[in-house]
């Protein structure tokens, strides 16, 4: 027999769970709510970890998704430093790392992602870091304080943001990546060259079309990064931005269906294969009406809006998740990008504005459909693209 009962159990201490709790209360849910998170902090926003918080411009409290007092004021029980170890979805019982057993009516699984760990020689050396949490940002900032050379592995969001932030803090940064230019996989070569140019203008050394081979060190600490082409880069510290893997361990243990993209398979209402159990955030692979099939997207805005949709459906509203995913990224205070989509595939790029002048948008088209749009300084283009994506409207690329 369970130790106690809650009406809504939120598994995972990130943004999706926090926003789900918020919308449950704002929409009138008067049942008991328990939010369980393994980190030592209340739910917080992760983007500052590679930007403002890493740079020292934002405090820990600035990153919190909700004020710490909100939970008590709204009768939401928050248990940090706690994990859900096991879910019995037939009997609706959860076992926590505190050994407490909780019975529940409805549940949200929002366990997020873990960093993708690299397996190369020397990866165990001191001075090699991954960035996922506030504590990681603290360690990186402290460990690079006296570093002369820092090497960043990767060429996408985390890698470019960390490279910019550490350069802003006065470090000499080199990047090693498999892409030809930064952000090439997400935004294509012409937009990628713009962002790489911004980094290089501020002193970041970028090495593309290459891959990590090994790390070398002295007395247990990293001193050099070696690429597959034989390039050797001095390194007093290393930050690896090699992507993330959805943390579906709890969901798999509970017997939930896993989708082709590696996430928890969900309906358009974010409901899993078990009625009354929902998923949100990085692990959620949902049937997207506007994408015409299952998608799984790792970004702040998606987790934020998933939390709301999950809350409404816990309340029985039967709402499809039809929000066009939105992305953003900042390279220090040098350049900012916004993006809607995402365009998983495209066969044409239409540019508005001027890439050379640093104020432009790129529309990504697959046939006659806009699949995504990335903008630097032209937010009005995003609004138009968002509507075209949502409506599935055919367009003429020559008159877009």
């Amino acid at each position: 027999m369970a130790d106690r009962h809650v009406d809504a159990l939120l598994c995972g201490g990130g943004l999706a769970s926090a926003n789900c709790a918020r919308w449950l209360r704002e929409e009138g849910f008067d049942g008991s709510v328990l939010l369980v998170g393994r980190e030592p902090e209340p739910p917080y926003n992760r983007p500052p970890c590679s930007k403002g918080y890493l740079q020292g411009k934002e405090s820990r409290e600035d990153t919190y998704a909700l004020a710490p007092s909100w939970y008590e004021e709204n009768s939401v029980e928050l248990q940090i430093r706690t994990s859900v170890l096991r879910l019995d979805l037939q009997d609706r019982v959860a076992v926590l790392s505190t050994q407490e057993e909780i019975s529940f009516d409805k549940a949200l699984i929002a366990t997020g992602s873990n960093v993708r760990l690299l397996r190369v020689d020397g990866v165990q050396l001191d001075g090699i870091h991954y960035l996922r949490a506030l504590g990681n940002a603290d360690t990186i900032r402290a460990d690079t304080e006296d570093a002369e050379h820092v090497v960043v592995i990767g060429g996408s969001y985390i890698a470019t943001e960390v490279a910019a932030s550490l350069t802003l803090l006065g470090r000499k940064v080199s990047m090693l990546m498999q892409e030809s230019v930064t952000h090439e996989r997400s935004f294509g070569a012409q937009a990628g060259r713009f962002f790489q140019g911004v980094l290089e203008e501020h002193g970041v050394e970028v090495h593309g079309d290459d891959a990590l081979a090994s790390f070398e060190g002295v007395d247990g600490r990293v001193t050099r990064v070696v690429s597959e082409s034989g390039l050797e880069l001095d390194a007093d510290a290393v930050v690896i931005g090699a992507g993330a893997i959805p943390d579906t361990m709890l969901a798999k243990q509970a017997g939930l269906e896993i989708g082709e993209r590696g996430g928890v398979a969900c309906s358009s209402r974010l409901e899993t294969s078990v009625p009354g159990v929902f998923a949100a955030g990085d692990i959620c692979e949902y049937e997207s009406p506007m994408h015409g099939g299952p998608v799984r997207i790792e970004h702040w805005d998606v987790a934020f809006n998933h939390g709301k949709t999950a809350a409404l459906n816990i309340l029985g509203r039967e709402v499809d998740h039809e929000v066009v995913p939105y992305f953003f990224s900042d390279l220090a205070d040098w350049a900012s990008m916004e993006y809607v989509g995402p365009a998983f595939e495209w066969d044409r790029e239409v540019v508005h504005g001027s890439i050379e002048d640093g104020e432009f948008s790129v529309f990504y088209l697959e046939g006659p459909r806009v699949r995504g749009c990335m903008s630097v300084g032209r937010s009005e283009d995003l609004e138009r693209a968002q509507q075209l994506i949502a409506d599935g409207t055919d367009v003429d690329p020559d008159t877009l």
Side-chain angles (χ1 to χ4, degrees):
M1 184 173 178
D3 297 307
R4 60 191 177 100
H5 178 82
V6 297
D7 297 300
L9 173 65
L10 312 182
C11 309
L15 178 64
S17 287
N19 211 35
C20 181
R22 173 192 158 204
W23 278 98
L24 283 172
R25 289 303 187 224
E26 290 196 4
E27 291 296 311
F29 184 73
D30 59 3
S32 53
V33 179
L34 171 62
L35 193 162
V36 178
R38 66 188 177 194
E39 292 200 48
E41 312 281 347
Y44 60 88
N45 298 304
R46 293 192 187 276
C49 291
S50 57
K51 298 191 278 288
Y53 184 76
L54 179 60
Q55 297 162 16
K57 294 180 178 179
E58 295 181 51
S59 70
R60 229 171 177 78
E61 290 73 21
D62 289 336
T63 71
Y64 292 165
L66 297 165
S69 60
W70 181 93
Y71 300 94
E72 184 175 355
E73 291 168 357
N74 289 274
S75 300
V76 171
E77 183 182 355
L78 174 64
Q79 282 191 228
I80 59 174
R81 301 179 188 272
T82 305
S83 297
V84 179
L85 298 181
R86 191 166 67 254
L87 282 174
D88 180 340
L89 296 182
Q90 181 174 347
D91 292 335
R92 291 290 212 262
V93 173
V95 178
L96 308 187
S97 57
T98 59
Q99 301 307 310
E100 187 178 20
E101 293 192 5
I102 306 288
S103 64
F104 60 90
D105 292 330
K106 302 285 182 68
L108 173 70
I109 303 178
T111 44
S113 292
N114 297 317
V115 295
R116 186 183 301 278
L117 301 175
L118 299 186
R119 289 174 172 80
V120 298
D121 288 345
V123 75
Q124 78 286 349
L125 292 166
D126 290 339
I128 298 175
H129 306 279
Y130 294 88
L131 178 58
R132 183 67 185 166
L134 290 172
N136 301 140
D138 291 335
T139 301
I140 290 168
R141 189 167 57 239
D143 195 47
T144 60
E145 189 170 359
D146 299 319
E148 187 174 346
H149 295 101
V150 180
V151 176
V152 176
I153 308 297
S156 193
Y157 287 103
I158 293 296
T160 55
E161 290 173 357
V162 168
S165 293
L166 293 181
T167 299
L168 198 68
L169 291 173
R171 318 294 178 255
K172 173 62 178 174
V173 178
S174 298
M175 295 179 64
L176 177 67
M177 62 188 187
Q178 296 175 333
E179 299 92 329
S180 297
V181 295
T182 58
H183 291 293
E184 182 179 25
R185 293 171 183 169
S186 298
F187 306 134
Q190 61 177 340
R193 278 192 291 271
F194 168 78
F195 296 113
Q196 182 165 321
V198 170
L199 291 167
E200 290 174 335
E201 285 172 12
H202 289 85
V204 179
E205 189 179 273
V206 183
H207 302 277
D209 278 327
D210 208 345
L212 174 68
S214 64
F215 298 108
E216 297 178 355
V218 174
D219 296 330
R221 184 173 179 90
V222 68
T223 58
R224 183 176 293 113
V225 174
V226 181
S227 79
E228 289 187 352
S229 73
L231 177 70
E232 296 184 353
L233 299 171
D234 290 337
D236 300 307
V238 173
V239 182
I240 298 172
I245 299 172
D247 184 358
T248 56
M249 184 170 63
L250 179 64
K252 288 178 179 177
Q253 172 275 314
L256 293 175
E257 181 182 340
I258 303 299
E260 294 180 0
R261 297 177 181 269
V264 178
C266 293
S267 70
S268 59
R269 297 171 182 173
L270 311 189
E271 192 168 31
T272 69
S273 52
V274 174
V277 178
F278 300 84
D282 291 1
I283 69 164
C284 179
E285 184 174 327
Y286 69 101
E287 289 291 332
S288 171
M290 69 189 63
H291 293 95
V295 298
R296 188 185 69 80
I297 300 168
E298 300 167 2
H299 208 277
W300 180 93
D301 184 75
V302 174
F304 180 83
N305 285 299
H306 274 183
K308 178 180 179 180
T309 300
L312 294 176
N313 288 321
I314 287 172
L315 287 162
R317 304 286 174 82
E318 299 187 353
V319 176
D320 289 335
H321 188 74
E322 296 182 309
V323 181
V324 177
Y326 167 84
F327 308 76
F328 63 92
S329 181
D330 302 311
L331 301 182
D333 52 4
W334 313 329
S336 297
M337 71 175 81
E338 297 177 281
Y339 179 58
V340 293
F344 296 111
E345 295 181 359
W346 68 92
D347 49 42
R348 182 162 180 176
E349 298 178 9
V350 177
V351 177
H352 287 193
S354 170
I355 294 178
E356 291 74 20
D357 294 340
E359 190 170 307
F360 66 96
S361 296
V362 182
F363 289 80
Y364 301 91
L365 280 73
E366 184 180 24
R369 299 284 180 88
V370 174
R371 298 302 188 189
C373 180
M374 191 278 299
S375 177
V376 176
R378 290 176 61 99
S379 296
E380 65 277 8
D381 289 335
L382 287 183
E383 295 175 12
R384 184 171 176 229
Q386 216 161 13
Q387 195 62 53
L388 290 171
I389 294 168
D391 295 343
T393 306
D394 286 358
V395 300
D396 180 350
D398 295 323
T399 59
L400 180 61

